[in-house]
Every structure is written in structure tokens, then in C-alpha cells.
């Protein structure tokens, strides 16, 4: 008897043994199917697909005038993600058009034209983004604001990431297979490259600015080559952070003095070695004479001498040097003034392939800072902004904080370099004065976590950086809108399928966008309102610590240095009669910041030390206003919690639950920030917390005893 045939037609009864085997078989199949479906689900919903979720819903005919690895990707993307008219024809043309700059493109409903194949790829991503986010597609030219749009990874060779909150490095690891390049590595690097290219990011510094000299060892460089090979078709150049003392540390030389011929020769040989491995190598990023890192000043040379030595060697290969302006010493001088004082006398002394990389604010990526006065001051030296995507000072990967509003505030700040309207954007993108190279950098928030960034909403910050690097005039609203539409597409949530577009917009898109757009101000409110800054506990920069001042720690690493609270008042006096940091800004800003009547209240305690009973514009006294701001911050996060609960039907389970749980933790953290700061400052103000506000739930002593590297520590 052929039992298979019998079972197939249902004629014969199977034997007991056959039944048992069949049952086991069925169970295994069902089990495997469930595992498979679960895996699919996990993959579909863990956030790994970022804003690149669209799968083609129609076919498209693509005609392309050029063949390269990059145009192959462009064609493939169109075919895989096309959401336009069925069987439409799209023409991709690489042809020079003088109105198109760099890797810009002209795009329209019928096709894309660009000067380079990379421009074509960017045009394809723009077209697809517009299709997916239901934006109009009309003939238009899009040119990048900055020529170099670069992620800075603070990744160490052992795989850890300085200020990384999303797992270990995607580039480096320690252990036996540290140098082996696996297929899995390459797949991940390719996904990373695709995500960046979809935004127009075209460079990646692969290692920490606190660089290990081993970065320049041959085995490390071979891995850099492997990474660069994967990134190249997507238009992403590899850059490296280098340690200035490398010639002494790994080259066996007696010195690393930049004018020593042996030192120059050592760097020359290194650059040649790199250029051979990576012909499109982007260049070096250097943190010199900053926070203990070595630099040219160790040998009595200036930043310019050190930077120019490297720049001359990189020039034949088209490489650049990004020389950081993040410098400060325990000199007794206001830390906020030091970068300007150190770099302004060197204006004009740098080669044209050196760019001074300055953080957005004069101190250090604080929740809110006025722009660094170096922007709008340097005139004959190229300058580029450094933004921090990783949320070192903004709740790390626990708090939902959308950073676009902060960056837009910075980019749109008026420096008055050439009269009114000289925004930071214009001072850095070549509009105000010509720069041989223009660039912008963002410190990456990417790690091995399945969702890349630790928090589902932290992906929006990677997205926002890329979009602003391409177009520094975009609004936060537009960026948030795009990101939500692409990351939580309406059709992806089963439960929302039955709902119509306007319902989805009203009940999902608008509330989520509202939450994102408010989130930065909320964090400023519950952490450091009214211009307060750097009042974190310890070096982890997560929880509050206005009291934190361990004996022996240098003053400018302790919060009392920054808030200056005493019974007379609070705030850092940077006016003309204080540290005079205001003089580093051009008029009329200098006077505006200096005078109490005109100083924007968001920067009040940044520039002024004021009595607790100082009258604010709304009539409240300063102390009360401080309490109201702290209170407002906590209430805002509670509102986010409610809002997120209401959108549950529109989001997949996994991402909904993850974000909900992070919002809970953010709420607790906000409460601790509020209570800790109010109770601590109250010791000096000696005033009651306004009676109509919620009173603290924690007591100061217990908060002071903890170090708050995570708020969880407090709860355990
Ligand atoms: C990479 C801050 C951070 C450091 C960082 C430094 C910098 O001080 O806390 O982790 O070091 O900035 O930007 O160089």
C-alpha cells in the first residue's frame, strides 16, 4: 500500500506509527512556521528598517544613461520601492547642468538628472520619499547645503562607544575575530550605508575623536578598507580620527613635533598607505590639545601648524582635515570663551583643506546653548558645525527628545557677520564667505541594537541630521512629518487599515508630531531651564547633580561652576562686567545678550547672575519662574505618556510597548530632575515652591547620595 497516496486521497487509514510520525511532522512544521512568522514580525517591527520600509506596490520601467555600482543601486531602489503610477517610465540621466551643484539633482515625475551618478541616487531617494510621504512631485532642483555631510562615530577599537547608548560598535569588536570581515558585517555596513545615502550623508569618521594610535596600524587599516569598499557605492567616504602623538606612540619616533622632518615623513608614509588602500579616503578628524589629548601645543606649535602639516599631506588625494575647536583648560578663564580666544588669532593661517569643526554651543552639547561665537567670527578660515546626535546630555536612549528644533534654532541664529540675516547656516555653507570646502558633522547615535539607536524615536535624530545636512533651511515640522510617515506608515498597522487618511492624520500623525516638536523644550524645562547648563551628576551626564562637586575635581567639571547659585542669586555672569563672554558676539547681539531687558529669557542665566527676586517679563519672580518651568517639564512628559497611549491602535505592538516603557522611565527621570533641582536651589533662594505647583515627592538628601548614571539606580 502506498500510504502517501492513500493519505493524499483520504482512502486508507494510516497506521499508528504513521500517525505519530505525521503528528510530529505537523507540529514541527507549525512550530517552524510560527518561529518564522515571529521572526518576520520581529524583523518587521523592531525598528531595524528605519524609515526605509516601503516595498514596491507597482512596477516601473527604468531607463538609465550610465552604468556604475551606484546607478545599479538607484535602479534597484526604484524597482523595489516604487509607489507611483503602474508601469511608468523613469529616466535617470548623468549629464552636466550648471544649475546643479555637487551631488545635487533635478527631479520630476518623469526622471532624474544629475552631474554625478551619486546625484542620481540621491534623486531616486528623494522621489521615493515623496511618493511614500504623499508630497507633490514637480520639476525641481535640489542642491546640498554642505559639500561634506559626515557622521562622527565615537567608536573605540574594542567595540565600545564613547557616549553610545545603542549597544556596541557596528565597525569594531574585540576578541579572536576582531579583524575578520564576515558576511554579516558587510550586510550591516551595507544597510548602514543605504540608510545614510537615503538622507544624503556622504561621509563617516569610523572611530572616536579620543583616538587610539592603533587606528593607524596596518591590520586596522585593512578593516577600514573593507568598510570603505562597502560604503563606496553608496557615496560614503571613510574618514579617520587620528591621535596627534601617533608618530611617537606607534612609529617609534622620539617626538611627534609637526615640524620635525622625520615626523612629517612618518605621516606622509601613513597617508600614502591609506590612500593606496582607500583611494577616495576623506581625511582626518583631530581632537588636539583638548581634554588631555596630545596636540601641536605640546611642542610649542600652534593649531594651525599642526593642522597644516596633515592638510598638505592629504591634499594630493583630495583629503581634508577637520580640526576640532573643542578646547578649554583650567586657566581660570570662563570656559565658554576659550575656543574663541584660542582660534580667532589664527584666522587666515589654515590651509584651504582644513576646516575648523566647532560644536554648536560654546560649552558642550548642552540641552540649550547660544551658538558658539566662532560661527560668524572666523572669516578667512573654513568652519563647520558639529552637532551631537547621540543624546549624551539629553536623556541618552531613554528620553524621547527630537533634536531638530534645537538644531534649527542653532542654524537659524543670526550671527550678524555681514549684517542682519547672517545665520549660522549662511556662515557655514559658503553663502556668507567662500570656503573651499563646506561641511557639517553629527556625532552618531548608532550601535548594534536591533533598532540601531536604542530608542525608536532616536532614529528621528539620525534622520533629522541627514536632512538638515542636505538642506539647512528645512523646518523641524517638515522633518518630523516626513519621518513619521516613513517610519510608521499608515498601511503597516493592521488595526488602522480600516481607518481613513484623515482619521490617521488627526489621531496619529498630528499628535505624534506635536509630541516630537515639544520634546526638546520639555527636556530643557525639566533639566535646565532659563539658560542653566551643565548641572549633571558625575561624568555620565544623565541625572541631575547641581550639588555635584567632589573634593579635588577641577572646578569646570562641577555644576556649581556653571550655575553659581548662592543666597544672592543664580546664573553665570558673562556680561561686560562679568566674564565678558558677550564681547565675542557681534553687535547688536553683544549688547542684546549683555542687557537684561533684551537678553532672551531662554539664555537668561547663561549670561546673567540674577537675584532670586528678579522680575521676569511675565511678572513672576525668578525663583517662581524656575519652579514653574521645572513643573511644566514634568507635566509635558506626562502629556506625552497619555498621548502615546491614545495612539496605540495605530502602531505595532512591539514599538508601542517599547516607547511606552521608555516614556515611563522618562517621566520618573523628569520628576527626579525637578525635585532635585528645586530642593537644591531652594537652600539658596529660601523661598517656598509656589503653592499651586506640585510639591516634590523625593527628598534632597536621598537624591544627593546617588550618582544617577541611570535613574533606575535610584529606583533599585
Ligand atoms: C569624545 C564631552 C564628552 C566626551 C567627548 C568630548 C569631545 O566632554 O563628555 O565624551 O569625548 O566631549 O567632544 O571631545
Amino acid at each position: 500500500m502506498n500510504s502517501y497516496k492513500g493519505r493524499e486521497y483520504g482512502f486508507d487509514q494510516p497506521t499508528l506509527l504513521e500517525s505519530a510520525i505525521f503528528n510530529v511532522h505537523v507540529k514541527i512544521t507549525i512550530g517552524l512556521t510560527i518561529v518564522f512568522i515571529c521572526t518576520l514580525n520581529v524583523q518587521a517591527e523592531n525598528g531595524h528598517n528605519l524609515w526605509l520600509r516601503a516595498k514596491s506596490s507597482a512596477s516601473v520601467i527604468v531607463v538609465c544613461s550610465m552604468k556604475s555600482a551606484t546607478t545599479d543601486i538607484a535602479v534597484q531602489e526604484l524597482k523595489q520601492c516604487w509607489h507611483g503610477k503602474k508601469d511608468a517610465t523613469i529616466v535617470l540621466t548623468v549629464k552636466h547642468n550648471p544649475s546643479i551643484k555637487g551631488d545635487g539633482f533635478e527631479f520630476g515625475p518623469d526622471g532624474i538628472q544629475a552631474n554625478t551618478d551619486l546625484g542620481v541616487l540621491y534623486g531616486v531617494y528623494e522621489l521615493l520619499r515623496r511618493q511614500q510621504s504623499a508630497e507633490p512631485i514637480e520639476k525641481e532642483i535640489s542642491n546640498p547645503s554642505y559639500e561634506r555631510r559626515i557622521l562622527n562615530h565615537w567608536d573605540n577599537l574594542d567595540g565600545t562607544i564613547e557616549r553610545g547608548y545603542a549597544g556596541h560598535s557596528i565597525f569594531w569588536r574585540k576578541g579572536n575575530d576582531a579583524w575578520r570581515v564576515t558576511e554579516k558585517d558587510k550586510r550591516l555596513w551595507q544597510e548602514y550605508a543605504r540608510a545614510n545615502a537615503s538622507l544624503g550623508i556622504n561621509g563617516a569618521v569610523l572611530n572616536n575623536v579620543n583616538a587610539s594610535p592603533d587606528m593607524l596600524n596596518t591590520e586596522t587599516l585593512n578593516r577600514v578598507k573593507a568598510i570603505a569598499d562597502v560604503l563606496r557605492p553608496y557615496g560614503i567616504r571613510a574618514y579617520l580620527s587620528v591621535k596627534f602623538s601617533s608618530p611617537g606612540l606607534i612609529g617609534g619616533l622620539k617626538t611627534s613635533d609637526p615640524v620635525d622632518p622625520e615626523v612629517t615623513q612618518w605621516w606622509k608614509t601613513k597617508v600614502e598607505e591609506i590612500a593606496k588602500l582607500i583611494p577616495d579616503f576623506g581625511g582626518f578628524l583631530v581632537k588636539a590639545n583638548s581634554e588631555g589629548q596630545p596636540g601641536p601645543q605640546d611642542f610649542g606649535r600652534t593649531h594651525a601648524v599642526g593642522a597644516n602639516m596633515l592638510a598638505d599631506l592629504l591634499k594630493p588625494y583630495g583629503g581634508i582635515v577637520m580640526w576640532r575647536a573643542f578646547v578649554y583648560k583650567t586657566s581660570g578663564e570662563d570656559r565658554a570663551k576659550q575656543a574663541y580666544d584660542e582660534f580667532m588669532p589664527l584666522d587666515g593661517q589654515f590651509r584651504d583643506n582644513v576646516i575648523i569643526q566647532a560644536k554648536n554651543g560654546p560649552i558642550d552639547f548642552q540641552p540649550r546653548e547660544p551658538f558658539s561665537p566662532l560661527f560668524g567670527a572666523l572669516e578667512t578660515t573654513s568652519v563647520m558645525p558639529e552637532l551631537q546626535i547621540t543624546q549624551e546630555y539629553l536623556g541618552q536612549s531613554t528620553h524621547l527628545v527630537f533634536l531638530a528644533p534645537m538644531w534649527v534654532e542653532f542654524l537659524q541664529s543670526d550671527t550678524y557677520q555681514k549684517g542682519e540675516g547672517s545665520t549660522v547656516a549662511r556662515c557655514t555653507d559658503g553663502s556668507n564667505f567662500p570656503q573651499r570646502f563646506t561641511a557639517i558633522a553629527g556625532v552618531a547615535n548608532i550601535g548594534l541594537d536591533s533598532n540601531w539607536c536604542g530608542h525608536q524615536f532616536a532614529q528621528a535624530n539620525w534622520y533629522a541630521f541627514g536632512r538638515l545636512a542636505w538642506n539647512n533651511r528645512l523646518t523641524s515640522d517638515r522633518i518630523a512629518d516626513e519621518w513619521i510617515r516613513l517610519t510608521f506608515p499608515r498601511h503597516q498597522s493592521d488595526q488602522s487599515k480600516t481607518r481613513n487618511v484623515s482619521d490617521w492624520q488627526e489621531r496619529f500623525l498630528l499628535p505624534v508630531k506635536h509630541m516630537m516638536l515639544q520634546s526638546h523644550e520639555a527636556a530643557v524645562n525639566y533639566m535646565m531651564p532659563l539658560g542653566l547648563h551643565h548641572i549633571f551628576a558625575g561624568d555620565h551626564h544623565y541625572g541631575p547633580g547641581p550639588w555635584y562637586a567632589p573634593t579635588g575635581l577641577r572646578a569646570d567639571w562641577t555644576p556649581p561652576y556653571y550655575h553659581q547659585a548662592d543666597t544672592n542669586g543664580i546664573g553665570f555672569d558673562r556680561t561686560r562686567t562679568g566674564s565678558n563672554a558677550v564681547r565675542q558676539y557681534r553687535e547688536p547681539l553683544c549688547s542684546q545678550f549683555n542687557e537684561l531687558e533684551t537678553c532672551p529669557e531662554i539664555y537668561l542665566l547663561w549670561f546673567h547672575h540674577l537675584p532670586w527676586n528678579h522680575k521676569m517679563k511675565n511678572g513672576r519672580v525668578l525663583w517662581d519662574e524656575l519652579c514653574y518651568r521645572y513643573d511644566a517639564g514634568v507635566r509635558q512628559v506626562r502629556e506625552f505618556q497619555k498621548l502615546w497611549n491614545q495612539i496605540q491602535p495605530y502602531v505595532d505592538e512591539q514599538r508601542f510597548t517599547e516607547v511606552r516603557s521608555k516614556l515611563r522611565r522618562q517621566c520618573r527621570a523628569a520628576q527626579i530632575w525637578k525635585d532635585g533641582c528645586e530642593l537644591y536651589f531652594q537652600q539658596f533662594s529660601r523661598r517656598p515652591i509656589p503653592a499651586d505647583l506640585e510639591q516634590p515627592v523625593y527628598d534632597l538628601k536621598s537624591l544627593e547620595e546617588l550618582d544617577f548614571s541611570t535613574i533606575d539606580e535610584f529606583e533599585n
Side-chain angles (χ1 to χ4, degrees):
M1 182 185 71
N2 183 331
S3 60
Y4 172 70
K5 195 171 174 209
R7 197 174 298 124
E8 193 176 348
Y9 294 101
F11 294 144
D12 297 328
Q13 290 296 314
T15 63
L16 272 181
L17 180 64
E18 280 177 320
S19 256
I21 292 171
F22 180 68
N23 283 343
V24 169
H25 189 78
V26 167
K27 277 184 189 152
I28 291 174
T29 312
I30 292 174
L32 285 176
T33 312
I34 290 172
V35 169
F36 178 62
I37 289 173
C38 288
T39 316
L40 271 187
N41 258 339
V42 168
Q43 276 179 357
E45 296 170 359
N46 64 4
H48 192 74
N49 292 333
L50 298 162
W51 47 87
L52 296 162
R53 299 170 163 261
K55 287 276 168 299
S56 183
S57 60
S59 56
V60 61
I61 300 156
V62 186
V63 180
C64 185
S65 77
M66 177 189 170
K67 186 155 173 55
S68 72
T70 303
T71 54
D72 284 352
I73 296 171
V75 173
Q76 195 191 351
E77 290 285 6
L78 277 174
K79 292 196 167 161
Q80 283 179 357
C81 308
W82 181 252
H83 273 254
K85 238 173 59 207
K86 185 167 176 284
D87 294 333
T89 299
I90 285 289
V91 183
L92 307 180
T93 318
V94 180
K95 190 174 152 207
H96 190 72
N97 170 350
S99 310
I100 300 173
K101 308 274 175 256
D103 294 320
F105 51 85
E106 181 176 49
F107 79 110
D110 305 323
I112 290 149
Q113 184 186 328
N115 296 338
T116 62
D117 54 354
L118 187 56
V120 164
L121 179 62
Y122 290 153
V124 164
Y125 283 124
E126 178 69 33
L127 188 66
L128 294 174
R129 177 169 38 244
R130 294 212 180 191
Q131 285 181 347
Q132 289 150 31
S133 56
E135 280 177 71
I137 300 171
E138 280 147 20
K139 219 171 165 77
E140 198 179 301
I141 287 184
S142 176
N143 285 323
S145 298
Y146 298 98
E147 191 217 327
R148 309 240 175 171
R149 306 170 293 276
I150 303 174
L151 286 182
N152 286 186
H153 290 266
W154 286 357
D155 296 17
N156 300 311
L157 287 179
D158 66 0
T160 57
I161 304 182
E162 183 153 352
R163 311 305 178 185
Y165 312 103
H168 276 71
S169 170
I170 62 169
F171 301 121
W172 313 105
R173 58 175 164 258
K174 67 175 177 191
N176 293 340
D177 70 343
W179 306 115
R180 199 163 60 87
V181 176
T182 65
E183 285 309 309
K184 200 169 151 204
D185 286 333
K186 288 202 221 164
R187 245 192 333 272
L188 193 64
W189 298 340
Q190 190 189 3
E191 287 174 344
Y192 160 85
R194 177 180 181 232
N196 280 332
S198 75
L199 305 173
I201 291 171
N202 65 0
V205 181
L206 302 176
N207 64 311
N208 192 353
V209 285
N210 291 327
S212 159
D214 293 337
M215 197 63 222
L216 295 173
N217 282 336
T218 300
E219 69 187 345
T220 321
L221 291 178
N222 284 333
R223 192 168 170 87
V224 173
K225 174 192 162 34
I227 299 169
D229 287 346
V230 177
L231 305 190
R232 186 168 302 111
Y234 288 88
I236 296 158
R237 286 179 179 208
Y239 296 75
L240 295 178
S241 296
V242 291
K243 200 175 193 80
F244 201 76
S245 54
S246 297
L249 292 172
I250 57 165
L253 303 189
K254 283 199 209 71
T255 178
S256 295
D257 184 346
V259 302
D260 182 292
E262 276 189 75
V263 169
T264 317
Q265 184 55 46
W266 186 88
W267 281 109
K268 186 168 186 290
T269 312
K270 237 343 132 187
V271 168
E272 280 164 6
E273 182 186 349
I274 297 172
K276 215 167 182 183
L277 290 169
I278 306 151
D280 57 348
F281 180 63
F284 292 145
L285 170 63
V286 192
K287 173 174 176 178
N289 294 119
S290 158
E291 295 189 330
Q293 291 299 320
Q297 291 175 348
D298 303 344
F299 310 96
R301 319 285 172 203
T302 65
H303 286 291
V305 170
N308 291 345
M309 181 269 291
L310 295 174
D312 288 342
L313 299 174
L314 286 162
K315 193 155 196 161
Y317 307 99
I320 62 171
V321 172
M322 294 166 288
W323 194 268
R324 292 178 92 226
F326 179 64
V327 293
Y328 63 101
K329 299 189 175 80
T330 45
S331 62
E333 184 54 281
D334 176 4
R335 173 174 167 184
K337 289 169 62 180
Q338 296 186 30
Y340 179 101
D341 286 344
E342 204 162 315
F343 278 86
M344 279 312 286
L346 302 174
D347 194 12
Q349 294 183 26
F350 292 93
R351 299 281 190 268
D352 67 359
N353 60 334
V354 175
I355 311 190
I356 302 304
Q357 179 168 314
K359 293 187 180 184
N360 58 293
I363 298 276
D364 188 7
F365 298 138
Q366 293 304 290
R368 172 169 273 133
E369 297 189 42
F371 69 88
S372 158
L374 276 171
F375 299 107
L378 290 169
E379 282 190 336
T380 41
T381 300
S382 301
V383 57
M384 64 186 277
E386 177 178 324
L387 307 174
Q388 196 180 40
I389 310 171
T390 190
Q391 292 166 236
E392 174 181 356
Y393 294 102
L394 278 152
Q396 300 170 6
S397 55
T398 302
H399 297 207
L400 189 162
V401 183
F402 179 50
L403 300 175
M406 178 171 81
W407 296 334
V408 169
E409 180 176 300
F410 159 68
L411 288 165
Q412 293 313 321
S413 296
D414 202 340
T415 69
Y416 295 90
Q417 184 179 42
K418 285 197 169 168
E420 206 174 333
S422 304
T423 58
V424 170
R426 290 181 62 80
C427 295
T428 52
D429 66 9
S431 309
N432 252 28
F433 68 94
Q435 295 194 177
R436 171 73 187 84
F437 294 98
T438 58
I440 186 165
V443 181
N445 61 352
I446 297 159
L448 279 176
D449 274 9
S450 56
N451 68 18
W452 299 90
C453 303
H455 192 307
Q456 298 292 349
F457 277 77
Q459 297 179 356
N461 293 330
W462 178 5
Y463 184 88
F465 169 75
R467 297 291 287 132
L468 284 168
W470 183 270
N471 180 354
N472 60 14
R473 284 152 179 83
L474 282 181
T475 64
S476 306
D477 187 292
R478 161 92 185 260
I479 297 169
D481 200 280
E482 280 178 13
W483 180 79
I484 298 166
R485 286 173 191 272
L486 301 172
T487 309
F488 296 100
R490 194 171 68 88
H491 58 83
Q492 265 207 355
S493 159
D494 277 340
Q495 299 168 68
S496 72
K497 254 183 197 151
T498 51
R499 298 167 202 264
N500 61 33
V501 181
S502 65
D503 170 84
W504 179 85
Q505 284 184 348
E506 239 167 72
R507 289 169 197 268
F508 180 72
L509 177 72
L510 293 178
V512 173
K513 189 161 72 174
H514 170 82
M515 171 172 72
M516 289 173 74
L517 294 176
Q518 298 305 307
S519 60
H520 171 250
E521 206 59 51
V524 169
N525 279 337
Y526 64 73
M527 287 182 178
M528 288 167 229
L530 298 175
L532 286 175
H533 49 286
H534 228 318
I535 57 173
F536 297 90
D539 175 52
H540 48 70
H541 302 155
Y542 183 75
W547 50 80
Y548 178 77
T551 337
L553 192 64
R554 54 189 271 192
D556 56 355
W557 285 351
T558 70
Y561 172 91
Y562 299 97
H563 62 63
Q564 305 264 319
D566 55 24
T567 50
N568 296 324
I570 181 171
F572 201 121
D573 184 359
R574 297 194 164 103
T575 63
R576 291 193 185 109
T577 48
S579 81
N580 202 13
V582 291
R583 82 157 161 84
Q584 297 182 337
Y585 293 92
R586 288 173 191 268
E587 287 296 1
L589 264 191
C590 167
S591 300
Q592 210 181 89
F593 290 153
N594 189 64
E595 306 305 324
L596 256 182
E597 298 67 43
T598 50
C599 182
E601 287 192 341
I602 54 171
Y603 303 136
L604 198 63
L605 303 177
W606 183 283
F607 288 112
H608 297 266
H609 184 83
L610 295 172
W612 295 105
N613 65 356
H614 164 79
K615 257 289 183 30
M616 303 291 294
K617 292 195 177 107
N618 62 12
R620 286 187 189 130
V621 295
L622 172 60
W623 164 252
D624 287 355
E625 182 62 13
L626 204 56
C627 295
Y628 275 99
R629 298 277 176 136
Y630 273 114
D631 193 76
V634 174
R635 279 188 291 106
Q636 279 170 294
V637 186
R638 294 209 184 116
E639 283 305 316
F640 299 162
Q641 260 193 311
K642 281 189 218 155
L643 185 153
W644 189 250
N645 275 345
Q646 283 161 7
I647 57 84
Q648 181 166 16
Y650 301 86
V651 186
D652 51 86
E653 188 56 28
Q654 185 173 345
R655 287 187 293 172
F656 173 76
T657 316
E658 269 181 43
V659 173
R660 182 179 58 184
S661 121
K662 297 235 170 181
L663 280 169
R664 279 186 191 148
R665 294 171 64 197
Q666 184 175 353
C667 253
R668 294 195 288 263
Q671 178 81 47
I672 285 171
W673 265 100
K674 165 189 172 301
D675 289 3
C677 293
E678 282 179 356
L679 291 170
Y680 172 77
F681 291 131
Q682 192 177 35
Q683 303 176 113
F684 305 106
S685 79
R686 298 174 181 165
R687 285 166 173 261
I689 293 165
D692 58 331
L693 297 183
E694 278 189 24
Q695 300 300 302
V697 295
Y698 296 107
D699 64 273
L700 182 60
K701 196 162 178 314
S702 59
L703 296 178
E704 278 184 353
E705 275 163 9
L706 289 152
D707 94 329
F708 289 124
S709 46
T710 69
I711 295 293
D712 299 342
E713 219 166 280
F714 177 72
E715 289 163 350
N716 291 333

